Amino acid sequence: GGQRKLFAPFLTAEGGADMRTRLPKVGMRNVKTAVAVGICFLIFLPFWSSGGGEAAMVGPFYACIAAIICMQGSVEQSVRQGVSRLIGTAIGGAAGLLVLLVDDLLEIPLLTGVLLAGGVILVIWLCNAIHRPAASSIGAIVLCVFLINHSGDDRYLYALVRMGETAVGILVAVAVNRLLPDHREEVKNTPTAGAEGQGKNCSAPNKTTKERS
């Protein structure tokens, strides 16, 4: 009853367990994502493990997030996702710096929420104005990160560092997706696959020929 439904995805038609044929394989996108995340970590490891100072502010977190999001099924998709994320990061970063400046001038904590909401409206409007609506979400997130996640005299530097980390993650994802092979393309372009397709077409009965004969 209930146990059989629980293990149904791993059961064959005969009722036996066939874990090898039912469990998904580790695909190249999986491998590429892991490689990109590992590279981002290694790039920022010297800064992250420095132990203090301004260098300790630099870390792999946002680069790894950007690499995961930008790793798509093809290089073209990764480039499109990367471009949108870069544009969103730039717009959100610029709006975040502007909001930080106004917030420092006014120094009224209750207005921070109003400035944050106004900044989100500005980011989404700018992304739609340049016909990049896909960049609006990451732009608004970057704005919120700048204004909420850090405080103090060095938060302008913090904002610039976060933008740089995101850019590094995007570039790493696109480079890894471009350099590592994609076996799916090899399977699509194999002569065997084409021959099989031609064989299927040739084996189909020609109705017109039969009628003429």
Side-chain angles (χ1 to χ4, degrees), residues 2 8 17 20 22-23 30 43 74 87 97 105 114 127 135 141 148-149 160 165 167 170 177 200 205:
R20 291 176 297 177
R22 291 294 182 177
L23 289 177
N30 190 334
I43 288 175
S74 66
I87 292 175
L97 292 174
L105 291 175
V114 177
C127 291
I141 291 172
I148 298 174
N149 202 34
L160 295 175
E165 291 170 358
I170 294 169
N177 204 359
K200 289 180 181 179

Coordinates of all heavy atoms in Angstrom, one line a residue, residues 2 8 17 20 22-23 30 43 74 87 97 105 114 127 135 141 148-149 160 165 167 170 177 200 205:
G2 N 1.0 1.9 1.2 CA 1.7 3.1 1.3 C 3.2 3.0 1.0 O 3.8 3.9 0.4
A8 N 7.7 3.7 -5.5 CA 7.2 3.5 -6.8 C 8.2 4.1 -7.9 O 8.4 3.4 -8.9 CB 5.8 4.1 -7.0
A17 N 13.3 -3.6 -7.8 CA 14.0 -2.3 -7.7 C 15.1 -2.3 -8.8 O 15.9 -3.2 -9.0 CB 14.6 -2.2 -6.3
R20 N 19.7 1.8 -10.8 CA 20.6 2.3 -11.8 C 19.8 3.0 -12.9 O 20.3 3.9 -13.5 CB 21.5 1.2 -12.3 CG 22.5 0.6 -11.3 CD 23.2 -0.5 -11.9 NE 22.4 -1.6 -12.2 CZ 22.8 -2.8 -12.7 NH1 24.1 -2.9 -13.0 NH2 21.9 -3.8 -13.0
R22 N 16.7 4.2 -12.8 CA 15.7 5.2 -12.3 C 16.3 6.5 -11.8 O 15.8 7.5 -11.9 CB 14.8 4.6 -11.2 CG 13.8 3.5 -11.8 CD 12.8 4.1 -12.7 NE 11.9 3.2 -13.2 CZ 10.9 3.4 -14.0 NH1 10.7 4.7 -14.5 NH2 10.0 2.5 -14.4
L23 N 17.5 6.4 -11.1 CA 18.1 7.6 -10.6 C 18.8 8.4 -11.7 O 19.3 7.9 -12.6 CB 19.2 7.2 -9.6 CG 18.7 6.6 -8.3 CD1 19.9 6.2 -7.4 CD2 17.9 7.6 -7.5
N30 N 25.5 20.1 -14.2 CA 25.8 19.8 -12.8 C 27.3 20.0 -12.5 O 27.7 20.7 -11.6 CB 25.3 18.4 -12.4 CG 25.4 18.2 -10.9 OD1 26.1 18.8 -10.2 ND2 24.5 17.3 -10.4
I43 N 39.2 31.8 -6.0 CA 39.7 33.2 -6.4 C 39.6 34.1 -5.2 O 40.6 34.9 -5.0 CB 38.7 33.7 -7.5 CG1 39.0 33.0 -8.8 CG2 38.9 35.2 -7.6 CD1 38.1 33.4 -9.9
S74 N 23.2 26.2 -22.0 CA 24.1 26.5 -23.1 C 24.9 27.8 -22.9 O 24.5 28.5 -22.0 CB 23.3 26.6 -24.4 OG 22.5 27.8 -24.4
I87 N 23.7 43.9 -15.8 CA 23.0 45.1 -15.9 C 22.2 45.4 -14.7 O 22.2 46.5 -14.1 CB 22.0 45.1 -17.2 CG1 22.9 45.0 -18.5 CG2 21.1 46.2 -17.2 CD1 22.0 44.8 -19.7
L97 N 23.9 53.1 -4.2 CA 24.8 54.2 -3.8 C 24.1 55.5 -3.6 O 24.4 56.3 -2.7 CB 26.0 54.3 -4.8 CG 26.9 53.1 -4.8 CD1 27.9 53.3 -6.0 CD2 27.7 53.0 -3.5
L105 N 22.7 61.8 4.3 CA 22.5 63.3 4.4 C 21.3 63.6 5.3 O 21.3 64.5 6.1 CB 22.2 63.9 3.0 CG 23.4 63.9 2.0 CD1 23.0 64.4 0.7 CD2 24.5 64.8 2.6
V114 N 11.3 54.2 3.4 CA 10.7 55.0 2.3 C 11.7 55.1 1.1 O 11.4 54.9 -0.1 CB 10.3 56.4 2.7 CG1 9.7 57.2 1.5 CG2 9.2 56.3 3.8
C127 N 15.1 49.3 -15.5 CA 15.3 48.1 -16.2 C 14.2 47.9 -17.3 O 14.5 47.5 -18.4 CB 15.2 46.9 -15.2 SG 16.6 46.8 -14.1
A135 N 16.4 41.9 -15.7 CA 17.4 42.4 -14.7 C 16.9 43.1 -13.5 O 17.6 43.4 -12.6 CB 18.3 43.4 -15.5
I141 N 17.3 43.3 -5.6 CA 18.0 42.5 -4.5 C 19.3 43.2 -4.1 O 19.6 43.3 -3.0 CB 18.2 41.1 -5.0 CG1 16.9 40.3 -5.1 CG2 19.2 40.3 -4.0 CD1 17.0 39.0 -5.7
I148 N 20.5 47.3 3.5 CA 20.1 46.6 4.8 C 21.2 45.8 5.4 O 21.4 45.7 6.6 CB 18.9 45.7 4.5 CG1 17.7 46.5 4.0 CG2 18.5 44.9 5.7 CD1 16.5 45.7 3.5
N149 N 22.0 45.2 4.5 CA 22.9 44.2 5.0 C 24.2 44.7 5.6 O 25.0 43.9 6.1 CB 23.3 43.2 3.8 CG 23.8 41.9 4.3 OD1 23.3 41.4 5.3 ND2 24.7 41.3 3.6
L160 N 30.6 48.5 -3.5 CA 31.4 48.3 -4.7 C 32.0 46.9 -4.7 O 32.1 46.3 -5.8 CB 32.6 49.4 -4.7 CG 32.1 50.8 -4.9 CD1 33.3 51.8 -4.8 CD2 31.4 51.0 -6.3
E165 N 32.3 41.3 -6.8 CA 32.1 39.8 -6.6 C 31.1 39.2 -7.5 O 31.3 38.1 -8.1 CB 31.7 39.6 -5.1 CG 32.8 39.9 -4.1 CD 32.3 39.9 -2.7 OE1 31.1 39.6 -2.5 OE2 33.1 40.1 -1.8
A167 N 30.2 40.3 -10.5 CA 30.7 40.3 -11.8 C 31.7 39.2 -12.0 O 31.7 38.5 -13.1 CB 31.4 41.7 -12.1
I170 N 29.8 35.9 -12.5 CA 29.2 35.8 -13.9 C 30.2 35.5 -14.9 O 30.0 34.6 -15.7 CB 28.5 37.2 -14.2 CG1 27.3 37.5 -13.3 CG2 28.1 37.2 -15.7 CD1 26.8 38.9 -13.4
N177 N 31.3 27.4 -18.8 CA 30.3 26.9 -19.7 C 30.9 26.9 -21.1 O 30.5 26.0 -21.9 CB 29.0 27.7 -19.6 CG 27.8 26.9 -20.1 OD1 27.9 25.7 -20.5 ND2 26.7 27.5 -20.0
K200 N 14.7 5.8 -40.3 CA 13.3 5.8 -40.0 C 12.5 6.4 -41.1 O 11.4 5.9 -41.4 CB 13.1 6.6 -38.7 CG 13.6 5.9 -37.5 CD 13.4 6.8 -36.2 CE 14.0 6.1 -35.0 NZ 13.8 6.9 -33.8
P205 N 6.5 3.5 -45.3 CA 6.0 3.1 -46.6 C 5.6 4.3 -47.3 O 5.0 5.3 -46.8 CB 4.8 2.3 -46.2 CG 4.4 2.7 -44.8 CD 5.7 3.1 -44.1

